[in-house]
Every structure is written in structure tokens, then in C-alpha cells.
């Protein structure tokens, strides 16, 4: 069975080999596909990206496998390596950054957003100037449908100021409306129509590059160098197009640096760092391997039982009392600086997991899903799924999700309360997968593999691979633990950013001889066994693990009421 596991391990290793080389002083291309798009667009009529790639990240995206996707920022846009859950096809998409900046909605999935005010950043990136509009000012224009003005003799004469005020004044050039886009009900100026109809954009290819227009064109001032000159400004979904009638013909069109401005708005820093740099929080005296730093994210948490990443990538902490906390911000050390109560009132909760924009919690009532629609860190919708499932007691009844977005739950039903089964939950329906292994302690997944930690009282723990075609009692353990280890949870490290841990590392938490410990395991080259080694010691009673998008390892220690961070520092050689 290790051979099947090793296949997944090697596939992840191939993906890691495609990541950027480590010691770059500027950001390399995060994917060859990104570089191909960038090179393709170098011969166009417009500079759509800027001089070269900036920061790349793994960002949360509910529709992507494992709820995350690889993105890279450029001065003038963002490229995204996108594939839908359950699909093997991957394509490069371009972020709708201008739409997000002017609506204040950060896209976390095709129908999931987090909201924050549009930024008071000048669209030219300079210091505040009463003549130069900000993204917050442009927000007043966005989403206001217009009438078809093609054929009108009157030139465009609306001017926009920094505070969003519109006034009528003499235009610097007689530009008129040339086309009406019925999809969003906005007009395109005749000069823009002429640009879009020229090669290489063509009649429809401009949609891929710009998206649909989401505002009317207006005049405003925009600084080229240090000089503010009149420009015709129009917001599209992906970019902001600017036309300068006073410049030479080959310099009249440009696009704003929405990629750089968006990154500054979303992350509070410039997108110049070529590699993520997670912070460990307040240092803790734990024994950790070389190239790791351990610290405190959060303390004073009474009886934590599970950790999960929310759809926006922030950490959720579930407690025995039925409260779920959400860490929404960290301070300059990396310690939690802002918390919300995402939800409360769960009855004997077993565990939590996020999938497809929802957070799922199993408790005495069954499987509950929750969703934060307005991005304030508090669940707006709560629904008990009508499944007639009773999750197994304790962590054995915690839900898990695989790479395809399928939920798996160990539970019984009203009709068969003595027959626990594994159920796959898709589209609000539950289908039996197979029997629950004896002495199940906790389920976890790796890709599409379903794995189980089993341990009878007083007996050594084991890890099994579960399938629909095989009785778990007949399965040969993938991994056996020493008899002095009592396990609470397991997880697979899959973030391809760091040399240690490498993707495919298995992490387990629990106690050893009564002391808290995190162990790690990797398949050996013989594909028949795994090497088990201590990873973190000095804990008291760790009960749950989670992996952040930046590779941070989170550990919930119920013995101290703390959530610990373990931050890797050794970058991958690729």
C-alpha cells in the first residue's frame, strides 16, 4: 500500500520542482505557465504586466483543489493557476483586481468574498492629490449602469476628483462614446473601441485581458512622472485603462498598477518579497528541529479540540464548550491580535473542516455547515444538513475533506445505531463508503487518499488506508507506532514552499510517556514502511494540527490552553 502513497509523494515532488529557485533577489516566475503568458503579451500594444514578476503566494480559493491556488502578482495584474475541484485541467486566469479594489470585495471563490472598504490609494500610486482620484472615489462610479450613448454628438465631459465628486467641464479632447456593452450596461469611448479592434487584442480578445467595463469613462488627472495631466479613465473588471490625448500617439494608452496597489491593500505591504516570511509569534521554549522557530499564536483558549483553516485562509479554533474562534489578524511578532467568535452553541463538537466556502462542524445533532457572507469573521448562515447521521463520539467523528472537495464522516444512523459507517457527503447527500475501522481515533486525508489513525486502549496506534473495496480489518497498517505513544490527530504537510518539511511529510500529535509530542513520518524508498521520528517536544497535551497557506504548522495544546506556531525557515531549493 505504501506504493500508492509513494506515487502521490512523487507527484508532489514533481510539482515542487516547478517552483521558483530559492535564492533569487527578485521574484522569479512561480509557474512556467505564468512566464508563457508574460512573454506572449510583451509584443502587444499595451504593457499589461510591467517589467517582471513580483510576489507569489498560495491564496485561499474555495473552488480550487484543497481550497487554495498559486498566484503571482505583477505591477499591473495578477496571474492565477486555477482548476476546479474534481478536475485535472489547469489554466491561467487573470485576477479581477480592479473590480475587487473598487467594490471592496476580495474574491475567495467563485461566489465567496471577504469585504473591506475600497482603499484611499491614488490610482497613479502617488501621494494624495485633490486632482487624482482614488480607488475609493472610483467605487462611486462602479456598478452604476448607464444608457446607450453611442451616436451622441456630445463629447465626454464628466470629470472625477479625488473625493469621488463628478463635475462637468470642457474636455481636453473631443472623445465620444463608440460602443455599448450590454452585459454590464456601460459605454466604451471611440478611442478605446479603436484600440480593442486592433491586433493583437481583436474584437473579443480584450475581454480576456480587461474583462467587462464596470464604470463609465470619465476625465481625471493622473501623474506621469511627477506631472499630473488629463486622462480618460475607465474601470474594467481586471484593469483600469487610461487614455492621454496630449501624449504622442504611441504613448496615449496605459493601464494603472492595479497589481501592486491591490497587494498593498490586501496584505499591507509591497509585493517585492520573493518568498513568504511567516512570523512565529512570542518565542516558546520547545524543542524543534533546525530551521524551525516555535512561538505562541494564542493563549487562554479553554479546552481546544480542533483546528481548521477558514475559507479565507485564517485559523479557526474549535473548543469543547462549543465555541469556534477565528484569528483575523496578527501583530508584528506573528501573535494573534484580533479574534472573532465565528460561531457558538455546538453540542459536544467533534471537529471542523472547511470546503467550498463553507465551514463544517460535526456535533451531537449531526453535520452543520456555516458561512461568513460579509467577511466580518462571524458566520451569517448556519444550516444543519438533513442527513440523519450521528457522528461518532470524540475526534473519531470529526469530518475531513479530500482534494476533490468530498466530505467524509464516520457516523451511525437512526435505523442502524450500532453499525458505524464511513459516509461520503456531496451535494447535501450522504453515501456509505464502507465500515469504520475498529478503534478509530481520527480520520485524515492526503490528496484523494482517506487515512485513519486507530488505537485500542493500551495498544499501539496504527495508520490505515481506507477504501470502499477493502475491509479495514484486513488492511495491513501503513505505519505502526511505539506502544508508549497515544495519538490524538494526524495531518499531511502538502505546502510546497520549504525544504523542511517536504511535501508528503506526515505529522501526528499526542503524548509519549505522558509528555506532549509531535511526530513525523516519511515513506522510505522501499515503499513498504515509514521512518518515524520526533518533531516537536516540550508540549503538554497536543490535540490537533493545521497547516497554514504559508506553510506554518499550528498545534492546539489542550494542556496549556495555547495555540502554538511552528514556522519553517529553510526555503526549498526549487
Amino acid at each position: 500500500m505504501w506504493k500508492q502513497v509513494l506515487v502521490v509523494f512523487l507527484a508532489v515532488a514533481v510539482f515542487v520542482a516547478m517552483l521558483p529557485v530559492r535564492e533569487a533577489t527578485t521574484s522569479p516566475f512561480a509557474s512556467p505557465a505564468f512566464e508563457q503568458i508574460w512573454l506572449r503579451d510583451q509584443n502587444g500594444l499595451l504593457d499589461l504586466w510591467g517589467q517582471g514578476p513580483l510576489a507569489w503566494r498560495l491564496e485561499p480559493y474555495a473552488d480550487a483543489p484543497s481550497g487554495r491556488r498559486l498566484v503571482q502578482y505583477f505591477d499591473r495584474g495578477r496571474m492565477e493557476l486555477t482548476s476546479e475541484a474534481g478536475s485535472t485541467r489547469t489554466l491561467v486566469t487573470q485576477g479581477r483586481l480592479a473590480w475587487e479594489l473598487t467594490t471592496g470585495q476580495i474574491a475567495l471563490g467563485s461566489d465567496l468574498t471577504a469585504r473591506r472598504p475600497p482603499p484611499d490609494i491614488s490610482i497613479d500610486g502617488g501621494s494624495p492629490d485633490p486632482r487624482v482620484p482614488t480607488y475609493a472615489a472610483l467605487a462611486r462610479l462602479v456598478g452604476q449602469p448607464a444608457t446607450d450613448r453611442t451616436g451622441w454628438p456630445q463629447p465626454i465631459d464628466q470629470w472625477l476628483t479625488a473625493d469621488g465628486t463628478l463635475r462637468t467641464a470642457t474636455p481636453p479632447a473631443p472623445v465620444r462614446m463608440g460602443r455599448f456593452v450590454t452585459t454590464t450596461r456601460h459605454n466604451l469611448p471611440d478611442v478605446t473601441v479603436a484600440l480593442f479592434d486592433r491586433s493583437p487584442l481583436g474584437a473579443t480578445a480584450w475581454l480576456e485581458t480587461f474583462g467587462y467595463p464596470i464604470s463609465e469613462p470619465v476625465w481625471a488627472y493622473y501623474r506621469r512622472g511627477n506631472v499630473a495631466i488629463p486622462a480618460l479613465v475607465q474601470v474594467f473588471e481586471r484593469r483600469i485603462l487610461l487614455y492621454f490625448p496630449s501624449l504622442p500617439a504611441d504613448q496615449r494608452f496605459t493601464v494603472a498598477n492595479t497589481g501592486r496597489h491591490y497587494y498593498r491593500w490586501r496584505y499591507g505591504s509591497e509585493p517585492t518579497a520573493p518568498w513568504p516570511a511567516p512570523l512565529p509569534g512570542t518565542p516558546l521554549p520547545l524543542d524543534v528541529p533546525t530551521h524551525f522557530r516555535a512561538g505562541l499564536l494564542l493563549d487562554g483558549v479553554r479546552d481546544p479540540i480542533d483546528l481548521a483553516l477558514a475559507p479565507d485562509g485564517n485559523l479557526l479554533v474549535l473548543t469543547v464548550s462549543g465555541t469556534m474562534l477565528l484569528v483575523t489578524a496578527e501583530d508584528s511578532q506573528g501573535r494573534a491580535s484580533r479574534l472573532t467568535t465565528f460561531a457558538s452553541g455546538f453540542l459536544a463538537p467533534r471537529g471542523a473542516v472547511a470546503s467550498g466556502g463553507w465551514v463544517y462542524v460535526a456535533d451531537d445533532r449531526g453535520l452543520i455547515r456555516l458561512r461568513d457572507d460579509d467577511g466580518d469573521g462571524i458566520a451569517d448562515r448556519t444550516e444543519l444538513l438533513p442527513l440523519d447521521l450521528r457522528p461518532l463520539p470524540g475526534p473519531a467523528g470529526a469530518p475531513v475533506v479530500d482534494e476533490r472537495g468530498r466530505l467524509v464522516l464516520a457516523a451511525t444512523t437512526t435505523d442502524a445505531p450500532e453499525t458505524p459507517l464511513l459516509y461520503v457527503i456531496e451535494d447535501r447527500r450522504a453515501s456509505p463508503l464502507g465500515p469504520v475501522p475498529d478503534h478509530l481515533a481520527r480520520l485524515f486525508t492526503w490528496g484523494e487518499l482517506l487515512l485513519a489513525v486507530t488505537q485500542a486502549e493500551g495498544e499501539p496506534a496504527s495508520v490505515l488506508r481506507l477504501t470502499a473495496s477493502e475491509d479495514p480489518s484486513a488492511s495491513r497498517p501503513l505505519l505502526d507506532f511505539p506502544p508508549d505513544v497515544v495519538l490524538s490527530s494526524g495531518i499531511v504537510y502538502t505546502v510546497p514552499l520549504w525544504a523542511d518539511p517536504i511535501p508528503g511529510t506526515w505529522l501526528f500529535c499526542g503524548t509519549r510517556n505522558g509528555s506532549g509530542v509531535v511526530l513525523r513520518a516519511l515513506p522510505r524508498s522501499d515503499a513498504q514502511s515509514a521512518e518515524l521520528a520526533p518533531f516537536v517536544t516540550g508540549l503538554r497535551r497536543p490535540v490537533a494540527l493545521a497547516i497554514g497557506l504559508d506553510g506554518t504548522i499550528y498545534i492546539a495544546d489542550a494542556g496549556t490552553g495555547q495555540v502554538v506556531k511552528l514556522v519553517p525557515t529553510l526555503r526549498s531549493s526549487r
Side-chain angles (χ1 to χ4, degrees), residues 360-528:
Y360 293 83
V361 178
D363 76 355
D364 277 349
R365 295 165 293 178
L367 189 63
I368 301 163
R369 68 176 190 173
L370 309 99
R371 185 175 176 118
D372 176 12
D373 289 321
D374 58 10
D376 64 354
I378 301 171
D380 302 298
R381 284 191 274 170
T382 302
E383 177 185 7
L384 175 63
L385 297 182
L387 300 175
D388 187 32
L389 295 180
R390 298 295 178 264
L392 296 189
V400 296
V401 64
D402 70 7
E403 189 177 62
R404 292 171 55 186
R406 299 181 305 175
L407 285 163
V408 180
L409 183 68
T412 61
T413 65
T414 303
D415 294 335
E418 304 300 325
T419 308
L421 294 175
L422 298 171
Y423 290 89
V424 175
I425 299 163
E426 294 181 287
D427 300 324
R428 296 161 53 90
R429 293 184 295 181
S431 304
L433 176 65
V436 172
D438 293 336
H439 312 296
L440 174 64
R442 184 75 187 242
L443 296 172
F444 65 106
T445 61
W446 183 16
E448 296 183 21
L449 299 179
L450 178 63
L451 305 163
V453 175
T454 64
Q455 186 166 25
E457 186 174 354
E459 298 293 328
S462 299
V463 175
L464 304 176
R465 178 172 182 259
L466 305 179
T467 67
S469 60
E470 188 173 7
D471 185 343
S473 63
S475 299
R476 177 174 175 265
L478 299 177
L479 183 62
D480 289 315
F481 289 81
D484 58 354
V485 172
V486 178
L487 290 185
S488 300
S489 186
I491 199 169
V492 181
Y493 192 92
T494 59
V495 177
L497 299 179
W498 309 98
D500 188 16
I502 63 173
T505 298
W506 292 13
L507 301 174
F508 302 93
C509 68
T511 59
R512 188 169 195 174
N513 292 321
S515 298
V517 65
V518 176
L519 304 173
R520 65 172 165 182
L522 273 175
R524 289 175 176 158
S525 58
D526 61 8
Q528 299 296 327

Side-chain angles (χ1 to χ4, degrees), residues 36-181:
Q36 291 174 10
I37 298 294
W38 187 84
L39 290 172
R40 180 200 70 184
D41 291 341
Q42 293 309 295
N43 297 321
L45 298 171
L46 293 171
D47 181 0
L48 298 173
W49 300 104
Q51 293 187 349
L54 300 175
W56 58 275
R57 301 179 71 106
L58 291 172
E59 287 186 341
Y61 196 74
D63 304 84
S66 303
R68 67 191 184 198
R69 64 181 178 182
L70 179 68
V71 305
Q72 184 147 33
Y73 286 87
F74 298 77
D75 278 317
R76 299 179 174 186
R78 180 181 70 198
M79 295 189 196
E80 307 149 348
L81 206 59
T82 301
S83 61
E84 295 184 358
S87 171
T88 59
R89 183 172 177 234
T90 301
L91 65 155
V92 176
T93 55
Q94 300 183 35
R96 299 171 68 213
L97 302 190
W99 177 84
E100 294 187 33
L101 280 162
T102 55
T103 63
Q105 299 187 64
I106 296 173
L108 302 175
S110 58
D111 64 347
L112 179 67
T113 60
R115 298 182 184 177
R116 65 176 63 174
D120 285 317
I121 299 174
S122 299
I123 63 171
D124 60 11
S127 58
D129 186 311
R131 298 169 298 172
V132 180
T134 64
Y135 288 96
L138 289 177
R140 299 190 179 187
L141 303 180
V142 169
Q144 304 295 326
T147 58
D148 186 349
R149 293 170 59 192
T150 55
W152 285 25
Q154 181 179 352
I156 300 169
D157 59 1
Q158 292 284 292
W159 288 75
L160 182 69
T161 61
D163 63 1
T165 302
L166 277 174
R167 59 184 178 85
T168 301
T170 303
V175 179
R176 295 173 174 83
M177 300 302 187
R179 182 180 299 165
F180 186 65
V181 180

Side-chain angles (χ1 to χ4, degrees), residues 256-311:
N257 288 340
T258 50
R260 183 178 289 273
H261 301 160
Y262 176 92
Y263 193 96
R264 187 191 304 168
W265 171 59
R266 180 167 177 176
Y267 295 109
S269 62
E270 294 297 325
T272 52
W275 207 277
L279 299 168
T282 307
L284 288 175
L286 300 177
D287 293 325
V288 300
T290 307
H291 307 302
F292 287 87
R293 293 187 293 167
L296 178 64
L297 172 71
L298 184 64
D299 63 358
V301 182
R302 185 173 179 179
D303 295 325
I305 58 168
D306 204 9
L307 301 174
L309 288 193

Side-chain angles (χ1 to χ4, degrees), residues 149 153-159 169-177 189-191 217-221 229-233 243-247 252-253:
R149 293 170 59 192
Q154 181 179 352
I156 300 169
D157 59 1
Q158 292 284 292
W159 288 75
T170 303
V175 179
R176 295 173 174 83
M177 300 302 187
D190 51 15
V191 290
V218 294
W219 294 102
Y221 279 90
I229 58 177
L232 191 64
V233 181
Y243 172 73
F244 301 89
S246 63
L247 295 181
R252 288 178 183 170
F253 281 101

